[in-house]
Amino acid sequence: MSEKACNNSSCDKTSCEGCPSREKPASFQVDANEYSCIRRVIGVVSGKGGVGKSMVTASIANELAAKGYQVGILDADITGPSIPRMYGIHGPAAASDMGIEPRLTKNGIKLMSMNLLLPAEDTPVIWRGPIIANIVKQFWTDVIWGDLDYLLVDMPPGTGDVPLTVFQSLPVSEIVLVTSPQDLVQMIVKKALSMAEQMKIPVKGVVENYSYLQCPDCGKKLYPFGKSHLDEIAGEEKLHILGRIPFDSGFAEAADAGEFDKVRNTWIETEFE
């Protein structure tokens, strides 16, 4: 035992006055690659799958890049990566003694994803949680991100190993929560908010995807999932609404064609200063 360790057997590491654990709590953050300089890390999270989180991540990245910022995307959805395909980027990623080189999209966004390290894009990742979590940390420590204004982290849905690893290991500045207008959204939003609160990560706001469908003939707004409950939830939880994204087949078509770099999703607020 270290000489500086607390000798009080009843110490709970939080209430004992003068305990080193109280004065300087242990940090799980890991250092970025020595050739990286990243000013802000933004996590993009969702309480459930299928809400278009990767699309929102890529859309925010496109808007920030269009404003002249240096942007990167860390695809932390290890078992279901989709970001490279959306941009028409294929592996393998190059590596050197300095680290792993991220790939560059046509609009200048740096990205790293598990798909860029697999022998084939359809190779399944059949790993347990701790291994997946370590890969996410390596995307921070081993990838040469260079000089970035923003690194967007596209996380898998839920509140499991990977979001916990990202929140503990990376210096996340704030998160963007992505949801949809289904009835169970309130429970899902509250779970994600509760995790962010426990991890002491600020919430920038919430983006509602699939918010409505606009009739191409008359322009009337239709609501396939029913009327949104976002306003009442945002009011109750004091959340800032960053945007409401309608159904737009153009997003899916651009992603399928590997041309998401051309998408300008102007429904999302992207002021992170």
Side-chain angles (χ1 to χ4, degrees):
M1 181 178 289
S2 167
E3 292 181 0
K4 294 184 178 180
C6 180
N7 294 317
N8 183 351
S9 60
S10 64
C11 175
D12 62 0
K13 303 297 185 184
T14 60
S15 59
C16 181
E17 199 67 37
C19 176
S21 297
R22 176 180 173 83
E23 294 172 2
K24 189 176 181 180
S27 172
F28 294 98
Q29 283 193 11
V30 293
D31 293 332
N33 182 278
E34 62 179 307
Y35 300 103
S36 299
C37 180
I38 302 166
R39 293 173 183 81
R40 292 175 74 87
V41 179
I42 309 294
V44 183
V45 305
S46 65
K48 65 182 291 293
V51 297
K53 176 179 45 56
S54 294
M55 185 273 290
V56 170
T57 302
S59 296
I60 294 174
N62 286 354
E63 293 304 306
L64 290 172
K67 292 178 179 179
Y69 293 109
Q70 297 298 313
V71 184
I73 300 177
L74 189 162
D75 187 355
D77 195 350
I78 303 299
T79 60
S82 58
I83 294 288
R85 179 70 179 270
M86 294 170 66
Y87 285 100
I89 300 292
H90 306 282
S96 67
D97 291 339
M98 297 167 59
I100 305 170
E101 293 282 353
R103 297 296 302 274
L104 197 66
T105 67
K106 294 175 185 175
N107 57 338
I109 297 170
K110 295 178 180 179
L111 64 86
M112 177 50 61
S113 172
M114 194 64 212
N115 260 14
L116 302 179
L117 302 176
L118 295 172
E121 290 182 351
D122 57 358
T123 301
V125 177
I126 311 174
W127 296 337
R128 293 192 182 276
I131 299 175
I132 293 173
N134 280 330
I135 290 295
V136 172
K137 284 197 285 189
Q138 285 184 281
F139 282 176
W140 175 255
T141 60
D142 295 359
V143 174
I144 308 167
W145 291 105
D147 192 15
L148 291 182
D149 296 305
Y150 295 98
L151 179 67
L152 299 172
V153 183
D154 180 24
M155 285 193 267
T159 55
D161 283 338
V162 170
L164 179 61
T165 296
V166 171
F167 287 161
Q168 289 185 326
S169 303
L170 276 61
V172 179
S173 305
E174 54 198 336
I175 66 168
V176 172
L177 179 61
V178 184
T179 187
S180 61
Q182 292 153 301
D183 284 339
L184 50 79
V185 68
Q186 189 165 3
M187 176 188 71
I188 292 165
V189 168
K190 286 186 176 181
K191 281 187 177 183
L193 287 175
S194 178
M195 183 178 190
E197 182 179 352
Q198 290 181 49
M199 301 304 297
K200 295 180 171 56
I201 305 293
V203 179
K204 172 66 175 177
V206 59
V207 175
E208 184 180 74
N209 195 23
Y210 310 125
S211 191
Y212 58 89
L213 174 66
Q214 193 155 13
C215 176
D217 296 322
C218 66
K220 181 180 179 180
K221 289 183 179 179
L222 307 173
Y223 301 92
F225 288 128
K227 285 283 187 174
S228 171
H229 300 282
L230 187 60
D231 285 320
E232 57 192 80
I233 298 168
E236 181 182 338
E237 302 294 336
K238 296 180 174 59
L239 276 175
H240 179 51
I241 299 175
L242 295 171
R244 291 180 168 91
I245 306 173
F247 281 87
D248 188 333
S249 61
F251 295 154
E253 290 169 1
D256 289 344
E259 297 179 344
F260 207 81
D261 56 285
K262 298 178 180 178
V263 170
R264 297 297 304 275
N265 193 338
T266 55
W267 287 276
I268 305 175
E269 178 185 319
T270 54
E271 295 297 328
F272 290 96
E273 296 302 323

